Amino acid sequence: MKKIYYLKTCDTCRRIMKSFSLDGFEFQEIKTQPISLSQLEELFVLSGSYESLFSRRAKKYSSMGLKDQTLSETDYKQLILSDYTFLKRPVIIIDQNIFIGSDKKTLQQLKEHFLVN
């Protein structure tokens, strides 16, 4: 499976997606086609936690006072399902490999994966 969960208004998503040859990928724009429970559970299996899929950069994270709370895996799951902005993006799935977000380490791993395959 080759799939990308992204936000079309996100400059970082667009920049990353332009950096690689994405022939054969399925694209899901999470604002117009929200992530489903089964899709999120699939991402959980690949990533190992809902927290790793959660974006603390979302404006609602601060406005809802979430930074002052201790959140559980269930909380992260429900928040991601409730609002697309809570999904860290992009999420790129290549077979059984998952690449979450745009930090340097993730981008380096993604680059290495494309070089090898």
Side-chain angles (χ1 to χ4, degrees):
M1 174 208 269
K2 293 182 176 183
K3 186 165 186 170
I4 298 178
Y5 295 91
Y6 73 104
L7 190 58
K8 70 179 178 183
T9 57
C10 174
D11 291 335
T12 302
C13 288
R14 289 195 307 251
R15 180 179 43 81
I16 292 169
M17 290 166 59
K18 284 181 183 178
S19 300
F20 302 102
S21 173
L22 301 176
D23 295 335
F25 276 79
E26 178 184 342
F27 298 89
Q28 182 168 335
E29 205 280 335
I30 59 174
K31 184 175 182 179
T32 57
Q33 189 180 357
I35 192 164
S36 69
L37 175 59
S38 62
Q39 289 172 323
L40 184 57
E41 289 173 344
E42 211 174 273
L43 296 180
F44 171 79
V45 169
L46 293 172
S47 68
S49 75
Y50 292 110
E51 183 178 8
S52 66
L53 297 163
F54 186 81
S55 174
R56 288 180 172 80
R57 290 183 166 184
K59 290 179 181 175
K60 286 189 173 185
Y61 181 70
S62 292
S63 68
M64 292 173 67
L66 299 174
K67 65 180 181 162
D68 301 321
Q69 298 178 26
T70 302
L71 301 173
S72 67
E73 282 291 295
T74 303
D75 294 328
Y76 290 121
K77 178 181 177 181
Q78 293 305 317
L79 287 164
I80 293 168
L81 288 172
S82 73
D83 193 304
Y84 69 91
T85 61
F86 285 124
L87 180 66
K88 192 182 285 187
R89 54 196 181 271
V91 177
I92 302 173
I93 300 170
I94 305 172
D95 302 318
Q96 293 301 309
N97 299 297
I98 188 168
F99 304 91
I100 305 165
S102 60
D103 64 59
K104 287 182 182 181
K105 182 180 174 187
T106 299
L107 293 179
Q108 183 60 38
Q109 291 170 341
L110 186 60
K111 196 178 291 185
E112 290 169 5
H113 185 83
F114 272 97
L115 288 175
V116 172
N117 296 312

